[in-house]
Coordinates of all heavy atoms in Angstrom, one line a residue:
Chain U
L30 N 1.3 8.6 -16.3 CA 0.2 9.2 -17.0 C -0.2 8.3 -18.0 O 0.5 8.1 -19.0 CB 0.5 10.6 -17.5 CG -0.6 11.3 -18.3 CD1 -1.9 11.4 -17.5 CD2 -0.1 12.6 -18.9
Y31 N -1.5 7.8 -18.0 CA -2.0 7.0 -19.1 C -2.7 7.9 -20.1 O -3.7 8.5 -19.8 CB -2.9 6.0 -18.5 CG -3.3 4.8 -19.4 CD1 -2.4 4.3 -20.2 CD2 -4.6 4.3 -19.3 CE1 -2.8 3.2 -21.1 CE2 -4.9 3.2 -20.1 CZ -4.1 2.7 -21.0 OH -4.4 1.7 -21.9
S32 N -2.2 7.9 -21.3 CA -2.7 8.9 -22.2 C -4.1 8.6 -22.7 O -4.9 9.6 -23.0 CB -1.8 8.9 -23.5 OG -1.7 7.6 -24.0
S33 N -4.6 7.4 -22.6 CA -6.0 7.1 -23.1 C -7.0 7.7 -22.2 O -8.1 8.0 -22.7 CB -6.2 5.6 -23.3 OG -6.2 5.0 -22.1
N34 N -6.7 7.9 -20.9 CA -7.8 8.4 -20.0 C -7.3 9.6 -19.3 O -8.0 10.2 -18.5 CB -8.3 7.4 -19.0 CG -7.1 6.8 -18.2 OD1 -6.0 7.4 -18.1 ND2 -7.4 5.8 -17.4
N35 N -6.1 10.1 -19.6 CA -5.4 11.2 -19.0 C -5.5 11.2 -17.5 O -5.7 12.2 -16.8 CB -6.2 12.5 -19.5 CG -5.3 13.8 -19.3 OD1 -4.1 13.7 -19.5 ND2 -6.0 14.9 -19.0
K36 N -5.2 10.0 -17.0 CA -5.2 9.9 -15.5 C -3.8 9.5 -15.0 O -3.1 8.7 -15.7 CB -6.1 8.8 -15.0 CG -7.6 9.2 -15.1 CD -8.5 8.1 -14.5 CE -9.9 8.7 -14.5 NZ -10.9 7.6 -13.9
N37 N -3.3 10.0 -13.9 CA -2.0 9.7 -13.3 C -2.3 8.6 -12.3 O -3.1 8.8 -11.3 CB -1.4 10.9 -12.7 CG -1.0 11.9 -13.7 OD1 0.1 11.7 -14.3 ND2 -1.7 13.0 -14.0
Y38 N -1.6 7.5 -12.4 CA -1.8 6.3 -11.6 C -0.9 6.4 -10.4 O 0.0 5.6 -10.2 CB -1.5 5.1 -12.5 CG -2.5 4.7 -13.5 CD1 -3.1 5.7 -14.3 CD2 -3.2 3.4 -13.5 CE1 -4.1 5.4 -15.2 CE2 -4.2 3.2 -14.4 CZ -4.6 4.1 -15.3 OH -5.6 3.8 -16.1
L39 N -1.4 7.3 -9.5 CA -0.6 7.6 -8.2 C -1.6 7.7 -7.1 O -2.6 8.4 -7.2 CB 0.2 8.8 -8.4 CG 1.2 9.0 -7.2 CD1 2.5 8.5 -7.4 CD2 1.1 10.6 -6.8
A40 N -1.1 7.1 -5.9 CA -1.9 7.2 -4.7 C -0.9 7.7 -3.5 O 0.3 7.5 -3.6 CB -2.5 5.9 -4.2
W41 N -1.5 8.3 -2.6 CA -0.8 8.7 -1.4 C -1.4 8.2 -0.1 O -2.6 8.1 0.0 CB -0.9 10.3 -1.3 CG -0.1 11.1 -2.2 CD1 -0.4 11.7 -3.4 CD2 1.4 11.4 -2.0 NE1 0.6 12.4 -4.0 CE2 1.7 12.2 -3.2 CE3 2.3 11.2 -1.1 CZ2 3.0 12.7 -3.4 CZ3 3.6 11.7 -1.4 CH2 3.9 12.4 -2.4
Y42 N -0.5 7.8 0.8 CA -0.9 7.2 2.1 C -0.3 7.9 3.2 O 0.8 8.5 3.1 CB -0.5 5.7 2.1 CG -1.1 4.8 1.1 CD1 -0.4 4.7 -0.1 CD2 -2.3 4.1 1.2 CE1 -0.9 4.0 -1.2 CE2 -2.8 3.4 0.2 CZ -2.1 3.3 -1.0 OH -2.6 2.4 -2.0
Q43 N -0.9 7.8 4.4 CA -0.5 8.4 5.6 C -0.3 7.2 6.6 O -1.3 6.4 6.7 CB -1.5 9.4 6.2 CG -1.1 9.9 7.6 CD -2.3 10.7 8.2 OE1 -3.4 10.1 8.4 NE2 -2.2 11.9 8.3
Q44 N 0.8 7.1 7.2 CA 1.0 6.0 8.2 C 1.4 6.6 9.5 O 2.5 7.1 9.6 CB 2.0 4.9 7.7 CG 2.1 3.7 8.7 CD 3.0 2.7 8.2 OE1 4.0 2.9 7.6 NE2 2.7 1.4 8.6
K45 N 0.6 6.5 10.5 CA 0.9 6.9 11.9 C 1.6 5.7 12.6 O 1.3 4.6 12.3 CB -0.3 7.5 12.6 CG -0.9 8.6 11.9 CD -2.1 9.2 12.7 CE -2.6 10.4 12.0 NZ -3.9 11.0 12.7
P46 N 2.4 6.0 13.7 CA 3.1 5.0 14.4 C 2.2 3.9 14.9 O 1.2 4.2 15.5 CB 3.8 5.7 15.6 CG 3.9 7.1 15.0 CD 2.7 7.4 14.2
G47 N 2.6 2.6 14.7 CA 1.8 1.5 15.1 C 0.5 1.3 14.3 O -0.3 0.4 14.8
Q48 N 0.3 2.0 13.3 CA -0.9 1.8 12.5 C -0.6 1.4 11.0 O 0.5 1.6 10.6 CB -1.7 3.1 12.5 CG -2.3 3.5 13.8 CD -3.2 4.8 13.7 OE1 -3.6 5.1 12.7 NE2 -3.3 5.5 14.8
P49 N -1.6 0.8 10.4 CA -1.4 0.5 8.9 C -1.5 1.8 8.1 O -2.0 2.8 8.6 CB -2.5 -0.4 8.6 CG -3.6 0.0 9.6 CD -2.9 0.4 10.8
P50 N -1.0 1.8 6.9 CA -1.2 3.0 6.0 C -2.7 3.3 5.8 O -3.5 2.3 5.8 CB -0.5 2.6 4.7 CG 0.4 1.5 5.1 CD -0.2 0.8 6.2
K51 N -3.0 4.5 5.6 CA -4.3 5.0 5.4 C -4.4 5.8 4.1 O -3.5 6.6 3.8 CB -4.8 5.9 6.5 CG -6.2 6.6 6.2 CD -6.5 7.7 7.2 CE -7.7 8.5 6.9 NZ -7.9 9.6 7.8
L52 N -5.3 5.4 3.2 CA -5.3 6.0 1.8 C -5.8 7.4 2.0 O -6.8 7.8 2.6 CB -6.4 5.3 1.0 CG -6.6 5.9 -0.4 CD1 -5.4 5.8 -1.3 CD2 -7.9 5.2 -1.1
L53 N -5.1 8.4 1.4 CA -5.4 9.8 1.4 C -5.9 10.3 0.0 O -7.0 10.9 0.0 CB -4.2 10.7 1.8 CG -3.6 10.5 3.1 CD1 -2.4 11.4 3.2 CD2 -4.6 10.9 4.2
I54 N -5.2 9.9 -1.0 CA -5.5 10.5 -2.3 C -5.2 9.4 -3.4 O -4.3 8.6 -3.2 CB -4.5 11.7 -2.6 CG1 -5.1 12.9 -1.8 CG2 -4.4 12.1 -4.1 CD1 -4.1 14.0 -1.7

Side-chain angles (χ1 to χ4, degrees):
Chain U
L30 171 63
Y31 193 36
S32 56
S33 67
N34 60 12
N35 201 37
K36 289 184 174 181
N37 289 282
Y38 282 51
L39 184 97
W41 287 97
Y42 301 87
Q43 175 193 65
Q44 186 178 31
K45 297 182 179 180
Q48 297 185 19
K51 172 190 172 185
L52 176 69
L53 295 176
I54 285 170

